[in-house]
Amino acid sequence: MAGFAPRAPRFIDIVEAVRTYQPTADFELLHRAYAFATEKHDGQKRKSGEPYIHHPLCVAKIIAEMRLDAASVCAALLHDVMEDCNVSEEEMKERFGAEIAFLVDGVTKLGRVNFTWREDQQAESFRKMLVAMARDIRVVLVKLADRLDNMRTLEHMKLESQIRIAQETMDIYAPLAGRLGINWIKSELEDLAFKYLFPEQYQELLQKTKRLQKDHERYIADVVKRLQAMLAEGGIRAHVSGRLKHLYSIYRKMRQNNVDFEQVHDVIAFRAIVDTVTQCYAALGIIHSQWIPIPGRFKDFIALPKPNMYQSLHTTVIGPNQRRIEIQIRTHEMHKIAEEGIAAHWKYKEGGSGGVDEKDLARFAWLRQLIEFQQEVSDPAEFIEAVKVDLFSDEVYAFTPKGQIKVFPRGATVIDFAYAIHTEVGHHCAGARVNGAIQPLRYQLQNGDTVEIITNPNQHPSQDWLDFVATGRARSKIRAYLRAEERKRSIKVGRELVERVFHKRNMSFARFLKSGACEKVAKALRYASADEMFAGVGFGKIEAQEVFDAAMADEKAQKELQPSFIEKAARAVASMSRTASGISIDDVDNVVIRFASCCNPLPGDPITGWVTRGRGVTIHRRDCPRAMELDPERRVEVTWSERLKTTRPVALRVITTDRPGILSNVSAAFSEAGVNIQEANCRVAPDGTAINLFHFQVDGAAKLQMLMRKIQSLDGVYSVERA
Ligand code: MN
């Protein structure tokens, strides 16, 4: 390429362009941004050999052509200084303020994301992530302008880079421009990417269209004249133009229909721009009355706008020389939106009133998902502020170690990620390496995180996981797991309860199980299986006694279920060891016993027992508030065994004045009672009282009460209570 000077726009022209649409902009700031970029990029060259500053100038010019605000133009000028010149975000903030620093930082961060790993169905997620990471649509627009200029100068890169960058442009950036409705950027990006991805096809198509250029031009001029005339006759003033479709869209048609260039009919598109919507339909009627429309090719995007809020009437007709031509009919306003898309709404508007039409914006279905209006918006700055917060606020994008992208609702954690990989990975998820650093299960995924799940075969889902998962998938998998576990426990408890009744009545539970009587009883009680029946007992839906009674319903069964001599002997041994645990439980004789940690009952305390699913019987103090909340159906009477010779751990909280010597008096009280303190923690509260916590073992409530009375009577002790 000869000479770069014509390519690089002059800074002063950019300033003048901004002045036409934002006369109140901070031009001093704009100048400073330019001076700083020039200074920082001084001596740097692009791959083409041109001075580096040409690139930011070109990007700024594109931004100014889109009529974006001066802050965006500054960001365009400065967009490479953080990455290429090691300028820190703090320095940017100091020099240019938080807004510009934020925009430049955003563009820099997007530049670091690698979008090269792709699967077709993932491309949309990549696009969304890009917008999500940007957090401000202006960052995306500057990034698009940056990409456009890089594509325009791609010839200077190595072949390998050309293909990678062109592919990324085709997959991510061109469709993104289309999503945002900026058609001219989309078309140009597509043609540039086409050129590098399919060089032969591109050149061939280029040559063919060039050869036919004269013919096309003549034909376009002819059709434009006729269209204008027929519309004028119908009283419609229209601005009519025609153009060859952009190369990639022709190529796409060839591929789609599997035809040659010569067989692609409607390579020329015409556009009639009129004043009103009514005129759009009137013009359509006039055209169809003169030229035969091709059935099935009429599309009404006025009544049904595209998600990016594109509106037009499209029709294909058989025009002069029997050639097929596509005609688009739209109003001036629709045209502006078709060309500029979302940029039309981000444009700076003087006075700050009605900068954005909320109704218009609502038509961006794609963006509507991202933008939840929290308040009525009256000026562009405020609007951008709102968008910054709400863009994709509901979604977060993270990568697998292989670069596959996963989409989650905001707030999703490592566990959600694990279940998105595989149910078993979820069930055994023990943590994760996020961007190389170990993170706990509760870690909330951030956009762009790379997550490697760490599993452990001993790890299993627990109830509290439900508190910090965000996806329905993870939630339902965890619930299913917990339900299955609970069922297993219920079966176990149910069996234990039934077994107890059998033992009490001196019947053989083992034979009940083995003989098949068990299954019969289950059927009789309308359970699908013996397990279901035991689960029913465990859940408390049916009494263990009912099962026993059903088993004894006939005499034959009664005989069969007599215990053997060995069983009787084994049971006698088992019951002896049970008594040694220190608790005799009325009517509950064969289950695991646990002491509740909430009230820590001591031998001698009045107690009650509660049948707990999967945990046997839990012993609470009779006055324990937790126990009061339990299901009274599950309550069983328990008493301490007379023969009990055991100690239980207790803690006492003793509040005293913070005075020397007090602690030794308290210790002495312990020794006098024959109790060894195992652990003592003392701290002084701000109000000057000392809070002492003593841990020790005691063999009964009576001794504890004696000890507490003793301590309470000491001088300087405010209170003594069980902790
Ligand atoms: Mn750049």
Side-chain angles (χ1 to χ4, degrees):
M1 265 210 149
F4 299 109
R7 191 182 100 78
R10 296 188 309 164
F11 174 63
I12 191 68
D13 293 335
I14 295 169
V15 172
E16 288 317 308
V18 174
R19 202 185 297 281
T20 59
Y21 62 83
Q22 191 182 0
T24 57
D26 185 346
F27 291 99
E28 194 266 333
L29 188 69
L30 207 57
H31 275 89
R32 273 200 288 126
Y34 175 59
F36 188 70
T38 308
E39 180 201 323
K40 285 291 164 185
H41 289 300
D42 185 39
Q44 296 179 348
K45 292 218 180 313
R46 296 278 285 175
K47 286 264 165 28
S48 60
E50 67 181 326
Y52 198 95
I53 191 68
H54 286 190
H55 166 63
L57 273 172
C58 287
V59 176
K61 182 169 177 257
I62 295 167
I63 292 299
E65 279 166 2
M66 288 158 83
R67 297 168 62 94
L68 295 180
D69 65 350
S72 305
V73 178
C74 284
L77 287 167
L78 296 164
H79 82 270
D80 274 333
V81 300
M82 283 177 74
E83 187 71 9
D84 295 347
C85 313
N86 291 319
V87 177
S88 70
E89 203 189 342
E90 291 74 55
E91 187 178 352
M92 289 300 289
K93 234 182 243 170
E94 251 167 58
R95 286 178 181 272
F96 302 105
E99 185 184 17
I100 289 169
F102 172 83
L103 294 175
V104 174
D105 185 54
V107 177
T108 306
K109 282 193 180 125
L110 286 191
R112 290 187 191 136
V113 179
N114 185 357
F115 293 103
T116 46
W117 197 93
R118 307 159 312 271
E119 271 177 19
D120 276 354
Q121 70 269 24
Q122 298 221 321
E124 181 66 11
S125 296
F126 273 97
R127 277 172 229 135
K128 283 189 178 183
M129 185 180 87
L130 200 144
V131 178
M133 287 183 68
R135 288 170 54 215
D136 182 324
I137 202 71
R138 291 175 300 174
V139 172
V140 178
L141 298 175
V142 174
K143 185 68 202 162
L144 279 175
D146 177 38
R147 177 51 60 115
L148 182 59
D149 191 59
N150 285 336
M151 285 302 291
R152 284 172 177 172
T153 56
L154 196 60
E155 62 191 290
H156 306 290
M157 303 292 281
K158 274 186 273 177
L159 182 68
E160 204 186 281
S161 309
Q162 284 178 345
I163 290 172
R164 179 178 57 78
I165 294 168
Q167 189 68 56
E168 193 182 75
T169 300
M170 197 63 110
D171 293 337
I172 307 295
Y173 290 98
L176 181 60
R179 284 296 204 192
L180 299 174
I182 313 165
N183 268 333
W184 70 272
I185 291 189
K186 172 179 182 265
S187 302
E188 190 175 342
L189 285 177
E190 278 181 348
D191 274 4
L192 287 164
F194 176 36
K195 181 174 157 188
Y196 292 96
L197 292 174
F198 305 97
E200 284 168 37
Q201 291 91 328
Y202 175 84
Q203 289 303 334
E204 193 187 331
L205 206 50
L206 188 66
Q207 294 315 316
K208 278 181 178 164
T209 53
K210 267 191 183 156
R211 229 177 293 141
L212 290 167
Q213 197 177 355
K214 279 264 141 22
D215 171 57
H216 283 145
E217 277 168 12
R218 258 198 313 276
Y219 187 72
I220 288 171
D222 178 42
V223 172
V224 165
K225 215 168 68 194
R226 289 182 194 223
L227 263 174
Q228 226 144 19
M230 72 172 82
L231 292 177
E233 211 170 296
I236 298 169
R237 195 178 42 154
H239 182 270
V240 182
S241 62
R243 61 181 173 93
L244 196 67
K245 287 188 171 168
H246 75 281
L247 288 184
Y248 185 69
S249 76
I250 296 172
Y251 178 69
R252 196 163 39 204
K253 271 209 165 109
M254 289 164 59
R255 288 275 297 271
Q256 259 168 20
N257 305 330
N258 202 19
V259 294
D260 294 331
F261 173 66
E262 289 74 18
Q263 293 165 281
V264 178
H265 298 295
D266 39 2
V267 296
I268 297 175
F270 292 89
R271 188 174 292 146
I273 300 172
V274 297
D275 291 329
T276 65
V277 172
T278 317
Q279 285 181 347
C280 289
Y281 290 100
L284 180 79
I286 292 168
I287 293 166
H288 280 184
S289 72
Q290 304 275 326
W291 291 331
I292 297 166
I294 311 270
R297 294 299 304 270
F298 168 64
K299 291 195 187 91
D300 185 348
F301 294 117
I302 290 179
L304 296 167
K306 285 190 187 180
N308 64 13
M309 70 182 287
Y310 173 89
Q311 286 188 298
S312 259
L313 298 177
H314 287 194
T315 185
T316 303
V317 299
I318 300 187
N321 309 343
Q322 301 301 300
R323 285 170 75 166
R324 282 176 180 223
I325 51 175
E326 188 186 295
I327 302 171
Q328 302 170 350
I329 306 160
R330 54 174 79 142
T331 65
H332 289 283
E333 201 200 328
M334 292 172 192
H335 180 62
K336 200 176 84 180
I337 286 162
E339 288 303 301
E340 300 168 0
I342 197 162
H345 295 268
W346 260 267
K347 274 179 178 173
Y348 181 83
K349 283 192 184 152
E350 186 58 25
S353 61
V356 173
D357 184 343
E358 213 169 326
K359 242 190 293 169
D360 274 358
L361 207 91
R363 280 184 278 173
F364 281 98
W366 187 64
L367 277 165
R368 194 171 51 210
Q369 293 175 348
L370 340 170
I371 303 168
E372 285 281 313
F373 274 115
Q374 284 162 335
Q375 68 225 40
E376 217 188 357
V377 175
S378 59
D379 79 303
E382 197 182 315
F383 173 73
I384 281 162
E385 198 53 44
V387 170
K388 228 187 292 186
V389 178
D390 290 327
L391 225 50
F392 282 118
S393 63
D394 53 344
E395 281 179 339
V396 60
Y397 302 81
F399 296 97
T400 67
K402 284 183 178 166
Q404 202 174 2
I405 194 165
K406 301 270 176 199
V407 187
F408 298 94
R410 173 80 43 185
T413 56
V414 161
I415 294 179
D416 291 294
F417 192 97
Y419 278 105
I421 304 284
H422 193 276
T423 303
E424 284 304 309
V425 174
H427 283 347
H428 300 293
C429 175
R433 218 165 267 121
V434 179
N435 306 324
I438 301 280
Q439 296 290 357
L441 297 177
R442 287 170 181 273
Y443 173 83
Q444 294 197 349
L445 302 173
Q446 304 296 314
N447 270 316
D449 276 351
T450 296
V451 183
E452 186 189 343
I453 296 295
I454 300 164
T455 58
N456 179 338
N458 297 323
Q459 175 76 295
H460 297 291
S462 63
Q463 187 74 30
D464 64 329
W465 284 19
L466 292 171
D467 296 340
F468 52 89
V469 294
T471 57
R473 179 185 164 80
R475 182 160 285 121
S476 70
K477 296 286 181 192
I478 294 167
R479 285 223 175 97
Y481 180 91
L482 293 175
R483 263 199 307 275
E485 283 300 296
E486 188 172 83
R487 187 169 174 277
K488 270 188 223 161
R489 283 197 301 267
S490 298
I491 291 170
K492 193 162 163 268
V493 168
R495 279 173 65 126
E496 282 171 3
L497 291 169
V498 174
E499 190 177 7
R500 256 173 27 212
V501 179
F502 270 75
H503 287 180
K504 206 177 164 201
R505 307 298 174 87
N506 264 319
M507 286 295 180
S508 169
F509 186 65
R511 289 187 182 181
F512 176 61
L513 291 181
K514 277 186 205 148
S515 66
C518 174
E519 297 290 335
K520 263 187 234 161
V521 168
K523 283 235 171 65
L525 292 171
R526 296 173 186 274
Y527 282 96
S529 66
D531 275 353
E532 287 296 330
M533 176 179 74
F534 288 132
V537 176
F539 277 125
K541 287 178 192 159
I542 174 177
E543 291 291 318
Q545 185 67 41
E546 289 177 61
V547 175
F548 180 82
D549 291 347
M552 296 301 145
D554 69 273
E555 277 180 36
K556 195 169 139 251
Q558 276 187 37
K559 266 185 194 147
E560 274 173 9
L561 299 179
Q562 292 293 328
S564 67
F565 170 73
I566 295 172
E567 265 184 274
K568 280 181 186 163
R571 205 180 305 156
V573 173
S575 78
M576 278 167 66
S577 61
R578 235 174 289 130
T579 322
S581 76
I583 289 184
S584 322
I585 299 172
D586 177 44
D587 201 38
V588 181
D589 210 14
N590 195 22
V591 286
V592 186
I593 288 161
R594 281 177 356 113
F595 294 97
S597 57
C598 49
C599 55
N600 192 26
L602 283 185
D605 278 332
I607 47 173
T608 53
W610 302 85
V611 178
T612 326
R613 281 176 200 167
R615 290 183 184 163
V617 172
T618 306
I619 308 299
H620 286 265
R621 267 152 64 183
R622 208 173 270 264
D623 57 358
C624 173
R626 283 277 193 88
M628 310 278 185
E629 293 165 11
L630 297 171
D631 179 4
E633 296 264 307
R634 296 179 177 276
R635 184 183 155 123
V636 286
E637 285 310 316
V638 291
T639 54
W640 296 100
S641 164
E642 291 295 317
R643 286 167 296 158
L644 177 73
K645 286 280 173 283
T646 185
T647 59
R648 301 265 316 133
V650 197
L652 276 189
R653 187 182 292 110
V654 181
I655 299 178
T656 64
T657 56
D658 182 25
R659 207 179 62 200
I662 257 214
L663 220 54
S664 64
N665 290 346
V666 174
S667 302
F670 275 94
S671 327
E672 276 169 39
V675 172
N676 290 323
I677 297 169
Q678 289 170 324
E679 198 191 327
N681 297 305
C682 307
R683 66 184 171 85
V684 178
D687 64 358
T689 58
I691 300 159
N692 310 281
L693 200 62
F694 299 99
H695 294 265
F696 52 93
Q697 297 269 340
V698 73
D699 60 11
K703 180 175 270 182
L704 183 69
Q705 267 152 26
M706 189 264 285
L707 176 65
M708 285 170 73
R709 271 197 300 274
K710 209 167 220 162
I711 297 171
Q712 184 68 71
S713 68
L714 293 172
D715 212 20
V717 170
Y718 296 137
S719 71
V720 182
E721 56 177 18
R722 274 164 82 170

